[in-house]
Amino acid sequence: RKEVEQDPGPFNVPEGATVAFNCTYSNSASQSFFWYRQDCRKEPKLLMSVYSSGNEDGRFTAQLNRASQYISLLIRDSKLSDSATYLCVVNNQAGTALIFGKGTTLSVSS
Amino acid sequence: ETGVTQTPRHLVMGMTNKKSLKCEQHLGHNAMYWYKQSAKKPLELMFVYNFKEQTENNSVPSRFSPECPNSSHLFLHLHTLQPEDSALYLCASSQEGTGRNEQFFGPGTRLTVL
């Protein structure tokens, strides 16, 4: 099993759609979870941390299921500007570094 | 200047050249990282420096040599690289000890080895 696994997509959705990304991780000892966003030929940028109780930031909702080792990101009312690659990220067993998934590509069209 | 900066932004070098990548963070963080991002692959962690001490070396070939003179600056010295080393090299920083390890990235250096 890969350390962090994501559906690569691409997800092609119209503006206003709701889209969900899933991610699974292999290390049950991971304690920190994040979603990063990466635009084409740019650096990754932190979108949001993922907390055990789930958390929301505007149109974005992140969920964590520790028992299933599963993380999700829900984007409501998609905008053209949401088009990017979304990276699922967890920390390693020692807690000293982050492990990145390959990313899921989202394309929002008008 | 804010955030994490990297120079140069683009670099083309031959296999016999020696060059260095520079990273500077203005966030007051105590940990810095080098990552490699190749096409169609996830980000690969190369080196971790925590309080200026190297704490991880992810089996990186010796033709890549990191240097961390202080907690704000990080270098990656390159020599006798191979064409397969062409990639985007990203620097990141974080504040260790907070329990979250959120990392902030620089814009990267796009390296081409001829």
Side-chain angles (χ1 to χ4, degrees):
Chain A
R1 186 179 182 180
K2 292 180 184 174
E3 289 187 278
V4 179
E5 199 149 4
Q6 297 181 248
D7 181 344
F11 284 60
N12 298 304
V13 303
E15 276 186 289
T18 295
V19 61
F21 303 139
N22 303 320
C23 168
T24 56
Y25 60 96
S26 61
N27 182 7
S28 59
S30 292
Q31 295 294 321
S32 298
F33 310 91
F34 309 95
W35 283 100
Y36 277 73
R37 170 196 168 128
Q38 187 171 23
D39 292 281
C40 187
R41 303 184 74 81
K42 300 273 190 170
E43 74 274 22
K45 292 187 177 177
L46 179 65
L47 178 66
M48 59 196 301
S49 299
V50 185
Y51 300 108
S52 297
S53 54
N55 48 299
E56 188 175 307
D57 183 0
R59 298 181 293 109
F60 300 84
T61 301
Q63 297 280 351
L64 169 65
N65 184 323
R66 285 186 185 271
S68 303
Q69 294 176 212
Y70 169 94
I71 306 163
S72 66
L73 177 68
L74 183 75
I75 305 177
R76 290 182 300 277
D77 189 23
S78 299
K79 311 289 185 192
L80 294 174
S81 57
D82 293 334
S83 298
T85 296
Y86 290 83
L87 305 171
C88 177
V89 185
V90 306
N91 68 338
N92 64 357
Q93 189 153 2
T96 55
L98 297 181
I99 311 296
F100 286 76
K102 280 190 176 182
T104 299
T105 300
L106 172 66
S107 177
V108 182
S109 55
S110 57
Chain B
E1 185 123 39
T2 59
V4 182
T5 58
Q6 289 185 244
T7 55
R9 296 293 306 276
H10 300 272
L11 178 61
V12 180
M13 59 187 288
M15 290 191 285
T16 58
N17 291 158
K18 287 185 181 182
K19 296 286 184 184
S20 295
L21 309 186
K22 179 183 176 182
C23 176
E24 185 173 359
Q25 59 96 2
H26 310 269
L27 300 169
H29 289 163
N30 56 19
M32 296 185 77
Y33 311 80
W34 279 117
Y35 287 88
K36 175 184 178 182
Q37 188 172 37
S38 306
K40 308 293 184 189
K41 288 186 178 181
L43 267 77
E44 300 171 57
L45 179 65
M46 299 175 74
F47 300 105
V48 179
Y49 276 84
N50 200 321
F51 295 100
K52 300 187 298 177
E53 300 293 322
Q54 185 176 314
T55 57
E56 286 210 27
N57 173 341
N58 247 17
S59 303
V60 180
S62 59
R63 57 186 184 270
F64 294 91
S65 173
E67 179 191 358
C68 188
N70 55 61
S71 58
S72 299
H73 294 85
L74 186 64
F75 296 89
L76 188 62
H77 304 299
L78 317 171
H79 64 99
T80 58
L81 294 193
Q82 305 297 312
E84 60 264 29
D85 296 323
S86 299
L88 179 67
Y89 289 85
L90 290 158
C91 173
S93 71
S94 70
Q95 183 61 27
E96 290 302 294
T98 63
R100 292 301 302 169
N101 199 25
E102 293 155 335
Q103 293 181 16
F104 297 86
F105 285 83
T109 295
R110 191 160 295 279
L111 173 67
T112 302
V113 181
L114 301 177

